[in-house]
Amino acid sequence: MAASPGSAGLGGAGAVHGSSPSGFAFDSGLEIKTRSVEQTLLPLVSQITTLINHKDNTKKSDKTLQAIQRVGQAVNLAVGRFVKVGEAIANENRDLKEEINIACIEAKQAGETIAALTDVTNLNHPESDGQITIFTDKTGVIKAARLLLSSVTKVLLLADRVVIKQIIASRNKVLATMERLEKVNSFQEFVQIFSQFGNEMVEFAHLTGDRQNDLKDEKKKAKMAAARAVLEKGTMMLLTASKTCLRHPNCESAHKNKEGVFDRMKVALDKVIEIVTDCKPNGETDLSFVSLFTGIKEFKMTIEALRENLYFQSKENLSTTLEVILERTEDFTDSAYTSHEHRERILELSAQSRMELQQLISVCIQAQSKKTKSIAEELELSILKISHSLNELKKELHSTATQLAADLLKCHADHVVLKALRLTGVEGSLEALAEYACKLSEQKEQLVEACRLLRHVSGTEPLEITCIHAEETFQVTGQQIISAAETLTLHPSSKIAKENLDVFCEAWESQISDMSTLLREITDVFEGRRGEKYGYLSLPKTTEQARVARLGLKLGLLSSDADCEIEKWADQENEIVRHGRNMSRIAYSLYLFTRGEGPLKTSQDLIHQLEVFAAEGLKFTSSIQGFSKQLKDDDKLTLLLEINKLIPLCHQLQTITKTSLQNKVLLKVDKCITKTRSMMALLVQLLSLCYKLLKKTENVRWVSVTNKDTVDGKT
C-alpha cells in the first residue's frame, strides 16, 4: 500500500445518492460542492482585503474601478452558489435546518453588502456624489467580509456533521448485514444477503473515500486508507470464507477462517468511525509509539537549542532522553534477524553517543560559569560531534531494517511455501500441511519483525501507519492461510475450499508487493526524495485514480455475484457456465488492475483483456442462443430479449478498445470499465435466468417421462 495503503482501494471521491435508514437523505457530493465554492470564495475575500487597504489618494482609473466591481460581483455570485448548496443540505436534514438556514441568510446578506459597496463604476461621474462605497465605508466592508467568513465556516461545520452522521449510518447498515451473513445457514439466503451487503459496501466506500480525500491530517488519512483497504480485501475474503463454511458446515478450520475475516472487518469499521468522529471508544487514550527516528530528531533539536540557551534542558533530562532512545535500539540488537555486524555497529554507536553527551554536558557546565571564545568553540564542537554520532546511528538503523526487509522480499518472491500449501491441500496430505504451515508461520514472524523495525525508520507518520498495517496484515493473513489450507486438506476435492485458499494466498502475495513499495518509499524519505508513489503503473493519481478504483470495486462485487450464480450449476462444463466463468475471471483481473494489483501492469495489458472479455461475451450469448432453442416460445422470447441487451454492449466495448484516445488514458479506462460493469450486471442476470429455465425444462422432462412410464405400465 505504500504511504497510503489502499489509496486506490474502497472507492474514492464521488457522490452517493439516496436516503439513509436513519431518516435523513444526503448527497455526499454536496460536501465536495461546499468545499469547491469555499475555495472560490476565500481568494476573492483576500482580494476584498486588498481593496479595503486601497489608499484613498491613489488615482481611481476606470480600469481600477471595473476590477473592484468585478471582485464584488464574483464574491456575490460565489456566495449565491454556496447558499444554494447550504439550503439543499438544510432541506434534507431537519435537525440542522434552522442553524444552516440562519448561516445561509447571513452569508447572502454579506455577499449582497459586498456587491453593493464595490459597485463603483460610476464613481468618477458627478451624479455619484454621496454614494456609499468601499472607499467611503471601509468599516462596512470589513464587517461584511467577517460575517461572510463566519457564516461560510458555520455552514461547512454543519455540513461536516451531516457527513459524519451519514458515514455512521452507513457503517451501521453494513454491520447489521454482516451480522445476518454470520448467522446464515442456506446458500440461497447467503447469495441474497451478500448482494445487499455488496451494495452497502459500495455506498460506504464512496462516503469514506470522500472523507479520506477531504482529511487534512496526513496521519488520519493514512489510517483511513489502511482501514478501507482491510474492508475492500475483506469483502472478497468474506465471500469465499462464508461459502466454504456453508459447503462444509462441520469443519472447524473453515469456521475459524471465516471468524477471522469477520473480526478484522468489524475492527476496521470501528477504526473508520474513530477517525471521522475523532474519538476513541470508552474514553481510551492513544498511547503514541515514538519511533527511533522521531526520538533522535527531537533529541537533536534539543541539543542544538543549547547554542542559544545553555539552560534549555537540565543535564539529567538530556541523559534520560538519550537513554530512552538507546533503550529502543534494543528492538534491533535483540532481534534474532539482525546480523552480527549490524548489532555490533549499533552497540558501538550507542556507546559513542553516550560518551559524546557526557562531554557536551561537561562543556555546558563550564560555559555556564565562564563565557569565553574558546568555551563557545568547544561547545559548538561538542554539539557537532554528538549530532554526527546520532546521524551515524540513524544510518545504521536504517540499513539494518531495510536490508532485512529487502532480503526477505527477495527470499520469498517466488512464494514457494504458498505453492506447496496449495498442492498439499489438493493432495490431502495432513503431514505435509503441518510441515508447510510451520514454514509459513516462520516466514510470517520474519516479515512481522521486519515491519516493526521499518516502523522505527519510516521517517513520516503516514509511512509509520503503513508499517503497522503491513505488520497486522501479515499476522492475520498468515493464520488465515493456514486455516484455509487445513480446510482444503480435509476436503481435497472441494472447489470452493480451493478458491478460498487462493483468495488468502493472493492477499499475502499482494501484501508482499505492497511491502516492496513501502520499502522504496522509506528509502526515498531517508535519502531526501519525499516518497514518490509507485502504486499505479499506468493510471493517473489521486482523485482520478480513486474514481477508477471506485468503478473497479463494483466490478469486483459483480464478479463475485457471477461466481455465486455459477456455483448453482451442476454441470460446471456447460458452455454457458464456461464462458460465464471466463468473463467473471477477466472482470476480477480488471478489478485488481484498478487497485494497482494483479497480473495486468499496463494500460495495454488492460485493453488486451477487454478485447478478450468482449469476445467471451459474444461466445456467451451464442451459447445461450443455442440453449434457447430448447425452450417454449414465451421463455425463448424472454431470454432472447435479455441477450439482445448484451450483444450491442460487446460490440461497443470492442469499438472503444480500438479507438485511439491520445493522452486520455484515464478516459478510455473509465469508459471501458463502465461498459464492462454493465455487461457483468447482464451476465449475472442471464446466468440466473438460464439456470431457472434449465431447471424448469428438466422438471417438464421429468414429468413427461413419469407420465409415459405410467401409461406404459397400464398398457
Side-chain angles (χ1 to χ4, degrees):
M1 307 279 141
S4 300
S7 57
L10 263 158
V16 179
H17 302 273
S19 300
S20 76
S22 59
F24 65 91
F26 178 53
D27 176 352
S28 68
L30 288 175
E31 182 189 26
I32 298 167
K33 291 171 191 170
T34 54
R35 297 290 177 196
S36 175
V37 179
E38 175 200 17
Q39 287 162 7
T40 307
L41 275 171
L42 293 181
L44 291 169
V45 173
S46 174
Q47 288 182 42
I48 291 169
T49 306
T50 305
L51 295 175
I52 291 166
N53 297 327
H54 194 280
K55 292 180 181 177
D56 290 337
N57 58 1
T58 305
K59 186 181 176 183
K60 303 176 184 69
S61 68
D62 285 342
K63 192 173 181 182
T64 301
L65 295 175
Q66 285 169 11
I68 291 168
Q69 182 151 356
R70 277 200 303 272
V71 170
Q73 288 173 345
V75 168
N76 198 25
L77 285 170
V79 170
R81 291 197 300 273
F82 187 85
V83 166
K84 280 184 182 177
V85 173
E87 286 170 346
I89 298 172
N91 290 334
E92 294 177 342
N93 295 275
R94 291 180 182 178
D95 53 336
L96 299 173
K97 186 171 183 177
E98 188 178 350
E99 288 180 80
I100 295 173
N101 279 339
I102 290 169
C104 286
I105 290 167
E106 289 175 354
K108 193 174 180 181
Q109 288 172 348
E112 288 170 353
T113 302
I114 289 167
L117 291 171
T118 53
D119 184 8
V120 292
T121 49
N122 297 320
L123 204 59
N124 285 338
H125 297 88
E127 62 270 19
S128 66
D129 289 350
Q131 181 184 346
I132 298 172
T133 69
I134 188 171
F135 301 111
T136 60
D137 187 12
K138 287 188 177 180
T139 306
V141 179
I142 291 168
K143 283 182 180 177
R146 284 177 179 167
L147 179 62
L148 178 58
L149 288 173
S150 170
S151 54
V152 166
T153 303
K154 280 180 194 173
V155 173
L156 290 173
L157 289 172
L158 291 166
D160 201 55
R161 279 167 58 185
V162 174
V163 173
I164 291 170
K165 197 173 173 184
Q166 178 108 6
I167 290 172
I168 292 169
S170 181
R171 187 285 301 258
N172 291 342
K173 278 200 293 184
V174 169
L175 204 54
T177 309
M178 277 180 69
E179 287 171 2
R180 289 175 63 202
L181 281 172
E182 275 188 284
K183 297 170 185 173
V184 76
N185 291 317
S186 80
F187 191 83
Q188 193 66 35
E189 187 184 359
F190 171 79
V191 170
Q192 291 171 353
I193 299 173
F194 186 82
S195 178
Q196 178 189 337
F197 174 72
N199 291 330
E200 289 169 355
M201 282 299 291
V202 169
E203 178 187 349
F204 190 68
H206 291 181
L207 290 167
T208 54
D210 290 345
R211 191 66 180 179
Q212 182 181 322
N213 290 336
D214 201 45
L215 287 168
K216 301 293 187 289
D217 185 323
E218 289 299 321
K219 186 175 180 181
K220 283 184 181 178
K221 191 174 278 193
K223 283 183 177 180
M224 179 71 89
R228 293 174 72 241
V230 169
L231 291 170
E232 182 174 1
K233 289 191 177 179
T235 301
M236 294 303 161
M237 293 173 177
L238 184 146
L239 173 66
T240 55
S242 298
K243 282 164 66 179
T244 305
C245 265
L246 289 168
R247 186 60 54 87
H248 308 290
N250 299 320
C251 183
E252 188 180 335
S253 58
H255 284 281
K256 183 180 176 184
N257 180 259
K258 174 185 156 185
E259 285 164 12
V261 177
F262 276 92
D263 289 347
R264 196 173 187 214
M265 287 187 75
K266 286 175 184 176
V267 169
L269 286 167
D270 289 342
K271 183 63 69 180
V272 168
I273 301 305
E274 278 179 34
I275 296 162
V276 298
T277 58
D278 207 17
C279 63
K280 285 188 167 287
N282 306 320
E284 294 173 22
T285 53
D286 190 3
L287 300 173
S288 296
F289 165 92
V290 179
S291 70
L292 271 165
F293 269 30
T294 302
I296 290 171
K297 180 184 175 182
E298 290 173 356
F299 185 61
K300 279 178 66 183
M301 288 168 66
T302 302
I303 288 167
E304 287 164 4
L306 293 171
R307 291 189 178 106
E308 306 299 326
N309 182 2
L310 289 169
Y311 301 93
F312 182 70
Q313 282 284 355
S314 68
K315 62 180 182 180
E316 291 80 12
N317 282 351
L318 288 171
S319 297
T320 302
T321 305
L322 181 63
E323 285 308 315
V324 169
I325 291 168
L326 298 182
E327 190 178 316
R328 300 306 297 271
T329 63
E330 290 174 8
D331 290 353
F332 287 76
T333 55
D334 291 352
S335 173
Y337 307 109
T338 300
S339 69
H340 177 71
E341 292 77 11
H342 281 303
R343 185 177 290 108
E344 288 299 308
R345 182 66 178 149
I346 292 168
L347 291 170
E348 179 189 328
L349 289 167
S350 297
Q352 189 175 324
S353 297
R354 281 194 188 95
M355 185 181 71
E356 300 289 3
L357 179 62
Q358 290 309 310
Q359 177 62 25
L360 175 61
I361 290 170
S362 175
V363 172
C364 282
I365 292 168
Q366 292 178 52
Q368 285 169 5
S369 58
K370 49 183 179 179
K371 301 187 181 342
T372 63
K373 186 179 179 183
S374 61
I375 285 291
E377 288 173 352
E378 198 173 340
L379 176 66
E380 181 63 24
L381 183 61
S382 296
I383 290 172
L384 290 173
K385 277 185 176 179
I386 189 167
S387 293
H388 176 73
S389 294
L390 291 170
N391 284 338
E392 289 300 306
L393 180 59
K394 271 183 72 175
K395 284 180 188 175
E396 193 59 36
L397 294 170
H398 177 268
S399 174
T400 303
T402 54
Q403 189 176 318
L404 170 62
D407 289 347
L408 288 173
L409 289 170
K410 188 177 179 181
C411 178
H412 303 312
D414 52 4
H415 305 294
V416 171
V417 176
L418 296 185
K419 288 173 185 173
L421 279 169
R422 282 165 159 153
L423 186 62
T424 296
V426 173
E427 291 174 346
S429 171
L430 288 169
E431 189 178 332
L433 170 69
E435 178 190 342
Y436 289 111
C438 185
K439 287 183 178 179
L440 184 68
S441 295
E442 185 182 337
Q443 188 181 125
K444 178 195 73 178
E445 289 307 317
Q446 291 171 348
L447 290 163
V448 164
E449 182 71 1
C451 291
R452 285 174 183 161
L453 299 186
L454 284 174
R455 186 181 176 187
H456 273 299
V457 303
S458 55
T460 69
E461 284 188 325
L463 287 175
E464 201 176 301
I465 299 298
T466 309
C467 291
I468 297 168
H469 171 73
E471 180 186 331
E472 290 173 353
T473 301
F474 282 126
Q475 193 76 266
V476 174
T477 310
Q479 291 297 327
Q480 288 176 316
I481 288 172
I482 291 169
S483 60
E486 185 180 340
T487 304
L488 180 58
T489 307
L490 293 170
H491 307 278
S493 61
S494 172
K495 288 183 181 178
I496 182 57
K498 183 180 181 301
E499 181 191 351
N500 189 46
L501 177 58
D502 287 342
V503 166
F504 285 99
C505 287
E506 283 165 12
W508 180 277
E509 290 166 5
S510 172
Q511 191 55 55
I512 290 281
S513 174
D514 290 342
M515 189 174 175
S516 177
T517 305
L518 171 63
L519 182 59
R520 289 198 297 270
E521 291 195 358
I522 288 172
T523 302
D524 281 348
V525 170
F526 184 76
E527 293 175 357
R529 301 191 302 273
R530 295 293 292 180
E532 299 165 12
K533 302 292 183 289
Y534 297 88
Y536 265 61
L537 299 184
S538 57
L539 292 177
K541 309 297 180 197
T542 58
T543 306
E544 291 85 357
Q545 178 178 327
R547 171 171 164 71
V548 173
R550 189 174 72 251
L551 291 169
L553 175 61
K554 186 64 178 173
L555 198 58
L557 292 169
L558 284 168
S559 173
S560 299
D561 290 344
D563 290 343
C564 287
E565 291 298 333
I566 288 167
E567 278 286 321
K568 296 177 187 176
W569 292 64
D571 181 8
Q572 289 290 305
E573 296 307 313
N574 181 294
E575 271 198 18
I576 294 172
V577 171
R578 191 154 45 81
H579 294 305
R581 188 187 297 114
N582 290 344
M583 290 176 74
S584 179
R585 283 173 180 168
I586 294 170
Y588 188 72
S589 71
L590 301 179
Y591 152 71
L592 290 177
F593 176 81
T594 63
R595 288 175 44 80
E597 298 173 6
L600 309 180
K601 299 299 180 188
T602 67
S603 298
Q604 200 52 47
D605 293 342
L606 176 73
I607 298 303
H608 174 68
Q609 277 300 298
L610 287 164
E611 288 169 350
V612 176
F613 182 80
E616 281 294 332
L618 290 171
K619 290 176 186 175
F620 177 73
T621 57
S622 178
S623 301
I624 294 177
Q625 283 170 336
F627 168 66
S628 70
K629 293 173 184 175
Q630 307 171 26
L631 305 175
K632 290 184 178 179
D633 289 347
D634 288 348
D635 291 340
K636 184 177 182 179
L637 179 62
T638 302
L639 192 55
L640 290 175
L641 285 172
E642 290 301 310
I643 295 171
N644 287 338
K645 294 177 188 175
L646 182 57
I647 293 171
L649 289 175
C650 295
H651 291 307
Q652 287 165 23
L653 183 60
Q654 286 177 328
T655 303
I656 295 170
T657 56
K658 289 168 185 172
T659 304
S660 176
L661 289 173
Q662 274 192 322
N663 302 321
K664 292 185 179 178
V665 175
L666 177 69
L667 180 61
K668 188 167 182 176
V669 170
D670 190 317
K671 282 185 174 182
C672 287
I673 291 179
T674 302
K675 196 68 66 180
T676 306
R677 275 177 55 184
S678 301
M679 291 171 67
M680 282 299 295
L682 280 170
L683 171 73
V684 173
Q685 289 174 25
L686 281 164
L687 283 168
S688 176
L689 180 59
C690 287
Y691 178 74
K692 287 173 186 173
L693 293 173
L694 179 67
K695 285 293 176 188
K696 184 178 176 181
T697 306
E698 288 174 351
N699 289 338
V700 169
R701 283 176 185 165
W702 184 82
V703 170
S704 176
V705 169
T706 305
N707 290 341
K708 184 176 182 299
D709 288 347
T710 305
V711 171
D712 289 347
K714 285 179 181 177
T715 303

